[in-house]
């Protein structure tokens, strides 16, 4: 077996645990490059090894904060996300009508992205992924919304939304803290895309019997909840801009931001009332003898 499950390391043998974990991470994110003749089997087995060690091996939790471990994971995050961007860009450069090889490679990268979204929170390193993802989000959408890809690769487009959902949830629910400008940019990048793709995928499902690429109800609810939570973390003026844009295109129906709008209205009225009361208080003090 290229990478079989190992028994728990003896207590105290943290150096061995660290070495095994770092090696597994490197193979899991393809830092070591392809390893013939195992190919993808080694990468998948290494990912399973990392999952196993994080879930079952108590020693692993003691070495997660180690500098070498964190460096390997950080490099792996960068490697996967930017390799994904590079492969995605090649879709526009491929002159063949059906670039199956490129598509298959991209979908493997997406699978790696999903795996990292599940693993990194266990290591308190999701911020690394979110920051890298936010940095290339606009580039990703420029590629995937190119006219050449208008009517193909629906599966990839749904997978992108699923990964974006994980990022929006991490930021919206506070497990990853980003500066306000970064939160605004992240939301303004993915919100329009999700709002455009949902009705488009629904219409494809109506037009084509058995069309498999749809946003599930769970995914729709997860994105909507994450977007609402994320909006409510933004400065009031940014909330107002996003909600005003939503109201102008409210007929689309998804995502429903009514809850965020109601909270924004309540907060705005409360802030205005406190301001008026504060000004009245200062005015009374000024005219008192």
């Amino acid at each position: 077996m290229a990478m079989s499950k190992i028994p728990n390391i003896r207590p105290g043998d943290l150096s061995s645990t660290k070495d095994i974990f770092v090696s597994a991470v490197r193979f899991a994110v393809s830092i070591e490059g392809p390893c013939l003749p195992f190919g993808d089997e080694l990468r998948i087995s290494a990912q399973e090894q990392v999952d196993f060690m994080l879930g079952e091996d108590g020693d692993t939790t003691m070495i997660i904060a180690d500098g070498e471990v964190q460096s390997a994971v950080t490099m792996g995050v960068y490697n996967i996300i930017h390799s994904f961007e590079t492969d995605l860009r090649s879709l526009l450069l491929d002159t063949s009508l059906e670039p199956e090889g490129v598509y298959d490679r991209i979908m493997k990268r997406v699978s790696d992205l999903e795996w990292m979204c599940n693993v990194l929170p266990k290591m308190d390193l999701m911020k690394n992924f979110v920051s890298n993802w936010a940095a290339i989000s606009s580039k990703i959408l420029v590629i995937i919304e190119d006219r050449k890809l208008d009517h193909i690769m629906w599966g990839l487009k749904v997978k992108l939304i699923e990964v974006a959902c994980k990022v929006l949830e991490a930021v919206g629910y506070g497990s990853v803290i980003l500066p306000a400008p970064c939160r605004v940019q992240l939301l303004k990048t993915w919100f329009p895309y999700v709002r455009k793709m949902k009705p488009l995928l629904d219409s494809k499902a109506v037009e084509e019997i058995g069309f498999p690429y749809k946003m599930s109800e769970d995914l729709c609810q997860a994105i909507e909840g994450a977007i609402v939570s994320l909006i409510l973390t933004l400065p009031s003026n940014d909330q107002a801009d996003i909600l005003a844009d939503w109201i102008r295109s409210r007929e689309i129906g998804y995502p429903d931001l009514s809850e965020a709008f109601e909270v924004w209205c309540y907060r705005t009225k409360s802030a205005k009332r406190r301001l008026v009361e504060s000004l009245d208080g200062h005015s009374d003090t000024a005219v008192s003898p």
Side-chain angles (χ1 to χ4, degrees):
M1 293 293 291
M3 182 74 76
S4 59
K5 297 293 189 297
I6 60 170
N8 283 351
I9 307 299
R10 294 191 310 275
D13 196 4
L14 297 182
S15 178
S16 297
T17 303
K18 184 186 78 170
D19 291 344
I20 292 171
F21 188 77
V22 168
S23 294
V25 167
R26 289 181 178 278
F27 281 114
V29 298
S30 305
I31 291 176
E32 302 291 2
C35 184
L36 300 176
F38 302 109
D40 287 337
E41 292 181 11
L42 181 58
R43 178 179 56 85
I44 294 170
S45 187
Q47 290 178 359
E48 292 173 352
Q49 179 68 60
V50 172
D51 291 337
F52 170 78
M53 294 184 74
L54 286 173
E56 303 294 335
D57 190 347
D59 289 340
T60 305
T61 59
M62 302 176 67
I63 53 93
I64 286 176
D66 180 88
E68 186 179 354
V69 172
Q70 298 237 336
S71 176
V73 175
T74 299
M75 188 181 301
V77 171
Y78 181 88
N79 182 62
I80 285 182
I81 289 182
H82 288 273
S83 294
F84 170 71
E85 180 196 353
T86 300
D87 289 342
L88 197 63
R89 192 182 299 115
S90 68
L91 284 174
L92 303 183
L93 302 177
D94 197 303
T95 57
S96 64
L97 294 177
E98 297 180 356
E100 292 92 348
V102 177
Y103 180 73
D104 290 344
R105 188 166 67 247
I106 289 172
M107 293 307 288
K108 289 175 185 176
R109 294 294 185 191
V110 173
S111 177
D112 291 341
L113 293 171
E114 292 179 310
W115 174 75
M116 296 216 83
C117 285
N118 292 327
V119 166
L120 292 174
K122 300 175 185 177
M123 305 176 67
D124 293 326
L125 290 174
M126 189 62 179
K127 183 173 182 178
N128 212 292
F129 184 95
V130 169
S131 298
N132 278 277
W133 182 261
I136 69 166
S137 286
S138 58
K139 298 177 184 177
I140 289 174
L141 292 186
V142 166
I143 296 168
I144 204 67
E145 293 188 289
D146 188 273
R147 291 180 60 185
K148 182 179 179 179
L149 307 180
D150 264 354
H151 305 294
I152 57 174
M153 300 192 178
W154 300 107
L156 172 59
K157 293 171 182 177
V158 173
K159 284 295 184 182
L160 281 177
I161 293 173
E162 291 176 357
V163 174
C165 179
K166 294 289 188 182
V167 172
L168 292 171
E169 285 181 320
V171 180
Y173 296 128
S175 61
V176 171
I177 306 300
L178 293 180
C182 295
R183 298 198 303 273
V184 172
Q185 186 58 42
L186 184 66
L187 189 57
K188 287 186 174 181
T189 299
W190 286 102
F191 175 48
Y193 182 70
V194 171
R195 187 172 55 182
K196 180 184 81 171
M197 288 304 299
K198 174 64 165 61
L200 188 56
L201 291 167
D202 288 345
S203 65
K204 290 289 293 182
V206 172
E207 294 170 5
E208 299 180 21
I209 298 176
F211 182 74
Y213 307 115
K214 294 181 288 187
M215 291 173 60
S216 68
E217 184 176 344
D218 287 345
L219 177 59
C220 290
Q221 291 177 354
I223 292 178
E224 187 170 275
I227 287 177
V228 168
S229 294
L230 183 50
I231 288 174
L232 295 177
T233 71
L234 302 179
S236 183
N237 288 343
D238 292 313
Q239 291 185 41
D241 290 343
I242 292 169
L243 291 169
D245 180 58
W246 168 70
I247 289 173
R248 284 192 293 269
S249 56
R250 199 172 179 179
E251 69 279 358
I252 295 176
Y254 181 85
D256 183 3
L257 303 185
S258 300
E259 179 183 350
F261 181 69
E262 291 171 4
V263 173
W264 176 80
C265 288
Y266 174 79
R267 288 177 176 175
T268 303
K269 291 177 182 177
S270 297
K272 183 177 180 180
R273 184 172 60 251
R274 288 194 299 270
L275 177 61
V276 171
E277 291 172 351
S278 175
L279 292 174
D280 287 345
H282 284 299
S283 176
D284 291 343
T285 302
V287 299
S288 61

